[in-house]
Amino acid sequence: MGGPGYASSGLGGTTNDDANAPALPGSGGGCGNANYGGGGAGGGLIRLVVNKIATLKAGSRIEADGAAGRNFTNSDRVGGGGAGGGIYLTCKRFVGEAGATISARGGMSARHTGGGGGGGRIAIWRVTDQSTGPVSTDVTGGMGRSGNADAPADRGLNGTIVWGWLPAPGTVITLR
């Protein structure tokens, strides 16, 4: 869900999508009062269907992070952070190296009176996993900012991460 803008005047977009098979980008953040700061854009959608081997080398990054809320000429009336997007990867063999990163983080508020965007959705489905080290995943909600009695002080909620297994290809016969 996108973070609310200043004083909850502009609510962020709704929570959406399926944790097992993300198919939508993240929602945008809410706008600040009237014509002031705009909400951050939601993270995009990355959908990869790999027929054979998906390899993530050390230092590689797959990102669908939400953007930070914007402010208007340094005023208190800022927009909320955008929600993290969706990353959906299916493959026969997954090979990850230590130092590779997959993230769909929520965006933070631009200053001290907006709400953070929620984390996005990551789903990795594979038949086999031959990773040589841990792949870092991050769906952390964006930091909300407080400093005003009527401002939201909320941090965006964390998103979801699914590491799933696909059945090996072949024929299954059940006899009774």
Side-chain angles (χ1 to χ4, degrees):
M1 147 176 223
Y6 167 76
S8 295
S9 60
L11 298 178
T14 61
T15 299
N16 58 33
D17 224 350
D18 179 351
N20 288 318
L24 297 170
S27 295
C31 193
N33 281 0
N35 296 321
Y36 292 103
L45 172 67
I46 299 171
R47 192 170 178 97
L48 300 169
V49 178
V50 180
N51 288 327
K52 293 187 180 183
I53 304 168
T55 302
L56 273 71
K57 298 278 187 186
S60 64
R61 302 182 66 80
I62 299 175
E63 297 177 335
D65 298 336
R70 299 180 304 266
N71 74 11
F72 177 76
T73 60
N74 296 320
S75 75
D76 289 345
R77 294 168 173 89
V78 301
I87 299 173
Y88 181 56
L89 168 65
T90 62
C91 60
K92 286 186 182 171
R93 184 173 14 158
F94 182 82
V95 181
E97 295 180 359
T101 302
I102 304 171
S103 76
R105 296 184 305 250
M108 67 179 175
S109 170
R111 286 189 65 205
H112 61 274
T113 57
R121 309 226 187 244
I122 296 174
I124 311 295
W125 290 89
R126 68 261 194 242
V127 176
T128 63
D129 193 321
Q130 295 179 331
S131 294
T132 60
V135 173
S136 173
T137 54
D138 188 357
V139 290
T140 306
M143 186 64 92
R145 306 290 177 97
S146 63
N148 186 320
D150 64 353
D154 55 326
R155 176 186 185 109
L157 297 175
N158 292 336
T160 60
I161 301 169
V162 173
W163 285 93
W165 295 103
L166 295 170
T171 304
V172 176
I173 300 173
T174 304
L175 301 173
R176 291 185 176 219

